[in-house]
Amino acid sequence: MTSNSKLIFGKSKNIKSNNYVPKLDIEGVNLDDILPKKYQREDLNLPNIPEVEIVRHYIGLSNINYGVDTGIYPLGSCTMKYNPKINEVISRLPNFSQIHPLQEKNQGAIELISEVSKFLSEITGMEGFTLQPSAGAHGELTGLLIMKKYFEYNNIEKKKIIVPDSAHGTNPASAKMAGFSIIELNSNEFGEVPLDHLEFAMQEEQVAGIMLTNPNTLGVFDRNIKEITRIVHDNGGLCYYDGANLNPMLGISRPKDMGFDIVHLNLHKTFSTPHGGGGPGSGPVGVVKKLIPYLPEPCIISRDEGLVCRENSQASIGRVKAFWGNFGVIIKAYAYMLSLGAEGLKRVGQIAVLNANYLRVRLQEKYFLPYNRICQHEFVLSDKGLPNGVTTEDVAKRILDYGIYAPTIYFPLIVNGAIMIEPTETESKQSLDNFTEILLNIYNEAMENPEKLKFAPHNTPVKRLDAVTAARNPILHD
């Protein structure tokens, strides 16, 4: 029984009830033939409560939830931004939502997938795309399998891949799943890849290339990016671009122009879909021309005679998901790109960077900024220097008392006591100022009344949990 059920039963009245499930009375049907006797019950343990009270209970719970429709969502590294509701409406049109990929007359849907691939090619510079992967990490795995297949198909043995410590947390896991061992590069004092370390690592013959996030999880754009990709290419490697942080780059900088060969994108981050709660997502993968034969199949290719479905390339890594991918998410991304257009998408990138830097400058008045330079879409503060032993967790818990969601904390791991903040382009100056005042006020509270932070939150339905006990002795069922 879930805790929710317990709440419902707690409202139940211990009086005779007329609530019942009628007995099976279909002529000629014997219940024993349908359900074995040992599974049948005469009495059901149902709560004795009116429907209206049940509705009020669950509506009350929903009002406790927090989402981007409720307030600012400064969740760094995830682009938890507001997305226009028109995209949701379009994806639910019957001719989209009620078709099946095995129907014969799906030319419109196939054309839409082709159009999205063309748009993504223009945005990234890549020459071929697959929309099959169903999330960012799935896109990472797909891109790395393409890299692996490229070397295998050309009889070149490569078993290692370079991953900077500023990469997304899923990068090493995806590389391991693809069969690579990891060479980690530590960032330099500017939060960038040290070129001398990269040169040294690329001397190993087994290195397939580099897997790099740019801008990285520090919100830093690597100023040596073209030199990085040149070094990798000169040593026979391929360059993989983690596009989860593409939001600030839209219309400004393309992965292909930086020198990358493979890129995955998160449509559910950058191109509209409510992100979180486990999905759904979409992680398309784009490649340069020489890697197109290795894309998953079936693959849509646009030729002079029209759209062609390629299914028999011996170089292909094969199917990575049923049918064409998460079509509903792809539709939302299509609507988003059409409604904004090229200039609108560029504006997204510009405002995302402006908003992040506005917060960065205001908050570093009180909070320590380990990498003190212009950021892109996000920046990372630290709890270094917070007064009276107050920690990052204390700050995050206290934020909840002000009725807004906390940023990502303790990530990336290369910053002690990290507080990662990403406002995205959708927040107004008023919203940013309100968030700033909350953070500055919390700092003042840490100076004057630190106990208020150390026992926060105080106003939420559930107070601070014992995280250590919860991790060591989890209660996984009631």
Side-chain angles (χ1 to χ4, degrees):
M1 187 188 304
T2 66
S3 56
N4 237 352
S5 298
K6 284 185 175 180
L7 288 172
I8 284 289
F9 274 87
K11 297 175 181 290
S12 180
K13 305 298 181 184
N14 188 23
I15 57 175
K16 183 175 176 58
S17 170
N18 292 324
N19 297 333
Y20 66 94
V21 178
K23 292 184 178 297
L24 184 68
D25 60 355
I26 302 175
E27 187 176 347
V29 177
N30 187 345
L31 180 59
D32 296 345
D33 296 334
I34 301 173
L35 186 68
K37 196 75 175 177
K38 63 179 179 178
Y39 296 122
Q40 297 178 31
R41 290 176 291 173
E42 290 295 327
D43 298 314
L44 295 177
N45 186 23
L46 297 176
N48 182 20
I49 184 172
E51 177 181 319
V52 66
E53 293 295 334
I54 294 175
V55 170
R56 287 169 181 165
H57 169 74
Y58 283 105
I59 292 298
L61 291 179
S62 72
N63 289 336
I64 297 172
N65 286 340
Y66 189 93
V68 73
D69 292 345
T70 310
I72 185 173
Y73 224 107
L75 192 57
S77 197
C78 280
T79 317
M80 304 282 275
K81 65 184 182 182
Y82 175 81
N83 289 295
K85 296 296 182 280
I86 185 64
N87 307 334
E88 299 291 314
V89 173
I90 291 173
S91 70
R92 293 170 187 168
L93 293 174
N95 288 351
F96 286 139
S97 62
Q98 297 181 24
I99 59 173
H100 191 280
L102 292 181
Q103 288 176 217
E104 290 184 7
K105 296 183 178 179
N106 278 338
Q107 289 89 342
I110 298 298
E111 185 174 351
L112 186 151
I113 291 172
S114 176
E115 283 286 297
V116 171
S117 298
K118 290 178 183 176
F119 289 169
L120 297 181
S121 292
E122 186 174 345
I123 289 167
T124 63
M126 296 294 152
E127 288 135 319
F129 258 92
T130 176
L131 273 58
Q132 278 189 34
S134 56
H138 196 197
E140 292 174 19
L141 178 62
T142 301
L144 289 164
L145 290 175
I146 290 171
M147 184 185 292
K148 184 179 181 183
K149 187 65 178 284
Y150 167 78
F151 288 113
E152 289 178 348
Y153 197 75
N154 289 282
N155 297 314
I156 304 172
E157 188 176 16
K158 299 286 187 181
K159 295 183 178 179
K160 299 180 181 180
I161 193 160
I162 296 169
V163 181
D165 61 358
S166 60
H168 278 119
T170 51
N171 286 183
S174 297
K176 192 71 175 177
M177 287 191 69
F180 292 104
S181 58
I182 315 301
I183 300 174
E184 184 179 65
L185 286 188
N186 294 329
S187 301
N188 60 23
E189 66 271 27
F190 305 109
E192 300 173 334
V193 173
L195 297 181
D196 54 343
H197 291 193
L198 177 63
E199 288 266 20
F200 180 78
M202 284 303 303
Q203 298 308 308
E204 288 198 42
E205 293 183 0
Q206 293 284 313
V207 176
I210 190 169
M211 190 177 191
L212 192 143
T213 307
N214 193 44
N216 60 30
T217 53
L218 299 169
V220 169
F221 186 94
D222 203 308
R223 293 164 293 189
N224 297 313
I225 191 62
K226 295 200 74 172
E227 184 65 11
I228 290 170
T229 55
R230 182 199 65 76
I231 291 171
V232 174
H233 287 149
D234 285 353
N235 287 275
L238 293 176
C239 298
Y240 177 97
Y241 183 93
D242 182 325
N245 287 351
L246 188 74
N247 206 63
M249 298 291 99
L250 289 176
I252 298 168
S253 182
R254 305 192 308 174
K256 172 70 181 304
D257 300 333
M258 299 179 206
F260 286 93
D261 307 290
I262 306 170
V263 58
H264 97 261
L265 306 176
N266 291 31
L267 298 189
H268 54 285
K269 288 185 178 184
T270 307
F271 297 103
S272 171
T273 292
H275 174 214
S282 180
V285 172
V287 296
V288 294
K289 189 174 183 179
K290 71 177 182 180
L291 297 178
I292 289 177
Y294 306 95
L295 286 171
E297 292 185 333
C299 185
I300 301 171
I301 299 175
S302 180
R303 293 181 177 160
D304 293 340
E305 65 270 27
L307 298 178
V308 178
C309 180
R310 191 198 75 189
E311 296 187 88
N312 299 306
S313 171
Q314 291 184 340
S316 170
I317 65 169
R319 185 185 288 277
V320 296
K321 191 183 188 300
F323 305 115
W324 300 100
N326 279 340
F327 186 58
V329 180
I330 295 168
I331 295 169
K332 295 172 190 178
Y334 184 58
Y336 187 71
M337 289 186 280
L338 280 180
S339 61
L340 287 176
E343 286 303 313
L345 290 174
K346 183 177 181 179
R347 186 76 170 154
V348 164
Q350 292 171 327
I351 299 301
V353 172
L354 178 64
N355 283 355
N357 280 283
Y358 178 69
L359 288 184
R360 175 185 63 83
V361 170
R362 290 207 59 193
L363 291 175
Q364 71 179 107
E365 297 172 12
K366 298 289 187 180
Y367 292 85
F368 180 69
L369 184 69
Y371 296 91
N372 190 6
R373 50 179 290 193
I374 292 175
C375 67
Q376 298 302 307
H377 61 305
E378 65 190 5
F379 60 98
V380 180
L381 302 172
S382 167
D383 60 5
K384 180 180 178 180
L386 284 179
N388 298 314
V390 169
T391 67
T392 286
E393 183 179 17
D394 297 332
V395 173
K397 297 297 185 184
R398 182 60 178 151
I399 287 174
L400 304 180
D401 282 331
Y402 285 88
I404 64 173
Y405 203 80
T408 297
I409 61 173
Y410 298 116
F411 184 81
L413 300 178
I414 58 177
V415 174
N416 291 327
I419 306 173
M420 180 192 286
I421 297 173
E422 179 187 11
T424 77
E425 75 283 355
T426 55
E427 296 300 328
S428 66
K429 184 176 181 296
Q430 180 182 2
S431 174
L432 298 177
D433 285 338
N434 179 59
F435 177 73
T436 302
E437 292 307 316
I438 289 172
L439 265 292
L440 296 178
N441 191 54
I442 288 173
Y443 183 90
N444 293 333
E445 290 177 342
M447 292 278 292
E448 301 163 5
N449 188 7
E451 295 304 305
K452 181 176 286 188
L453 274 70
K454 293 178 180 179
F455 290 96
H458 305 282
N459 305 331
T460 54
V462 178
K463 303 302 184 278
R464 187 180 295 211
L465 302 176
D466 185 338
V468 175
T469 301
R472 293 179 178 175
N473 301 297
I475 300 173
L476 303 179
H477 59 82
D478 293 329

